[in-house]
Amino acid sequence: MTPFDLIELSKRAGSAQELIALAREQRIELSEEDAQIYFDRWHGMGELSDDDLDLVSGGVDQSGSLVCALCGRSDGLGIDVSGCGYYCYHCRCRCQVKYK
């Protein structure tokens, strides 16, 4: 199963609990927190943070390089498939990013 399949399950689910049940049918274990994140992301209940709004509106100076706010490394950053920012493969966690 790919992340795209999980997104499709999220779109079909009527609640985070239903998403957990649908994922189990596909032999995927989701925590309640992750299920809620996926469900909120694809059902429009999530809110953008001030940083996300700045990025969308062009309010961030992008002349520097994008780095992990936790470890400061720029290599190994990826988009978090849940739509909640970035994932740092060095810290192995979801993180906010900043411009260095």
Side-chain angles (χ1 to χ4, degrees):
M1 174 165 261
T2 69
F4 298 109
D5 295 325
L6 191 51
I7 290 168
E8 287 304 314
L9 289 177
S10 299
K11 290 178 181 179
R12 285 190 0 224
S15 68
Q17 294 302 322
E18 186 178 336
L19 174 56
I20 291 171
L22 289 170
R24 277 195 188 129
E25 290 175 7
Q26 300 295 320
R27 296 186 178 156
I28 297 173
E29 287 298 319
L30 279 179
S31 69
E32 287 184 28
E33 179 184 356
D34 286 341
Q36 192 66 54
I37 289 169
Y38 270 93
F39 181 79
D40 288 349
R41 172 66 176 108
W42 297 108
H43 289 275
M45 294 179 185
E47 293 183 15
L48 293 175
S49 69
D50 288 341
D51 291 337
D52 290 338
L53 288 173
D54 284 342
L55 288 171
V56 172
S57 67
V60 173
D61 175 15
Q62 297 183 6
S63 60
S65 62
L66 198 60
V67 297
C68 172
L70 299 174
C71 71
R73 294 182 70 165
S74 61
D75 59 330
L77 285 177
I79 302 282
D80 186 353
V81 295
S82 68
C84 295
Y86 292 86
Y87 183 84
C88 179
Y89 290 95
H90 295 288
C91 296
R92 298 198 186 283
C93 65
R94 293 183 187 122
C95 66
Q96 296 295 318
V97 294
K98 63 183 182 179
Y99 287 91
K100 182 176 177 186

